[in-house]
Amino acid sequence: DAVRTETLMVPVPETALPGDKITMQKQADGSWEITGMVRPTAFATDGQALGPATQYGQAGPPPAQGGYAAQGGQQPAAKPRPKGPIKGPLGPIRPRPQPVPQVPDQPGVAVELLSTKGSMVLDINPAWAPLGAQRFLDLVDSGYYTDIAVYRAVPNFLVQFGVSNSPEMQAFTRIADDPLIGKPVVKGAVCFAASGANTRRCTICIFLGDYSSVLGKNPWETPIGMLREPYFPVLDSLFTGYGDIPQCNGGGPCPFKLEQQGNEYIRAEFPQIDFIRSAKRL
């Protein structure tokens, strides 16, 4: 039998990266719909290693090659590296960890998130992450976080929001990373979701527990602020019953369908999902 082929012209989701595997399904009316996306290298938490630093769970692109090769010269051949720690006269020699620069705390910019479970007040600190803090405040000032679904809510891990099918999402392009300054990812920490280096855009995570031992090691994972502790009960009350997103083997909403179909998809299939009604500076 002859093999029938079709050529499809499909808009790629803004969140897609090179190397992602996109799955599609043909609908009854003959149209095709994106049903999922898988990245070849996943972390344990999103997340961006699946954690917020990786939005849908892929490692970032490899760093640009530097040194001789970047300047057009011939890079010298590397000498074979012995296995295990190098031994010296007083025992094994291990590399000294590089200190992370410490930035003193400064008064933050207070932002109120009005959710379907009540108000939450964040302290956004530009001293921690100047680029990330400014992007978040720009999003707040523009009214972007209006009727935004908390589409990813994982018990004891995080809540995540910011995906939308509004034209405003396309207007906010990816921003560069901020340097790490040693701020830990603990309960109440506010970070951007990202898919690797220099991919932060609009999606925000607020953590439900202490993940300082596994997150906050990459520049795109640095917190931009904290939820004030008196508002932790509101944070804990956000609905987490659907579990993680399908890309992380959960039963929650698919961010790609949300980006395509908007809140109608959430309200029809996940009626208990909470929303961020509005956000404003105080």
Side-chain angles (χ1 to χ4, degrees), residues 39-250:
R39 291 193 174 148
T41 304
F43 288 72
T45 52
D46 180 39
Q48 261 68 24
L50 274 181
T54 38
Q55 186 171 353
Y56 302 129
Q58 149 160 332
Q65 190 175 17
Y68 290 92
Q71 300 173 23
Q74 182 65 36
Q75 187 168 359
K79 295 181 179 179
R81 183 175 179 177
K83 296 182 179 179
I86 301 172
K87 292 185 178 180
L90 300 179
I93 300 174
R94 293 180 172 84
R96 179 180 299 175
Q98 295 298 313
V100 175
Q102 298 296 313
V103 174
D105 288 339
Q106 298 179 8
V109 179
V111 172
E112 180 188 34
L113 298 179
L114 179 59
S115 77
T116 44
K117 293 293 176 57
S119 293
M120 297 182 287
V121 177
L122 314 177
D123 285 314
I124 303 302
N125 200 319
W128 296 4
L131 298 177
Q134 187 59 56
R135 165 53 62 86
F136 178 71
L137 294 175
D138 288 345
L139 288 160
V140 169
D141 293 341
S142 74
Y144 179 82
Y145 296 116
T146 300
D147 206 26
I148 294 291
V150 184
Y151 71 92
R152 187 175 185 222
V154 185
N156 304 314
F157 179 34
L158 55 70
V159 296
Q160 187 167 307
F161 58 91
V163 172
S164 168
N165 71 337
S166 68
E168 287 81 3
M169 182 174 177
Q170 310 307 321
F172 287 96
T173 58
R174 296 171 179 176
I175 62 172
D177 294 331
D178 287 298
L180 291 172
I181 62 167
K183 294 300 177 183
V185 177
V186 294
K187 182 169 183 175
V190 181
C191 303
F192 273 92
S195 51
N198 305 316
T199 59
R200 297 178 299 171
R201 290 186 64 216
C202 306
T203 309
I204 293 295
C205 302
I206 305 178
F207 283 86
L208 303 178
D210 186 339
Y211 286 86
S212 56
S213 63
V214 293
L215 293 174
K217 314 302 181 184
N218 297 302
W220 56 90
E221 295 172 344
T222 190
I224 64 171
M226 287 288 299
L227 174 68
R228 292 182 183 177
E229 191 168 348
Y231 296 91
F232 281 7
V234 179
L235 175 68
D236 292 335
S237 72
L238 296 175
F239 185 75
T240 59
Y242 294 121
D244 213 334
I245 58 177
Q247 290 76 12
C248 296
N249 300 316

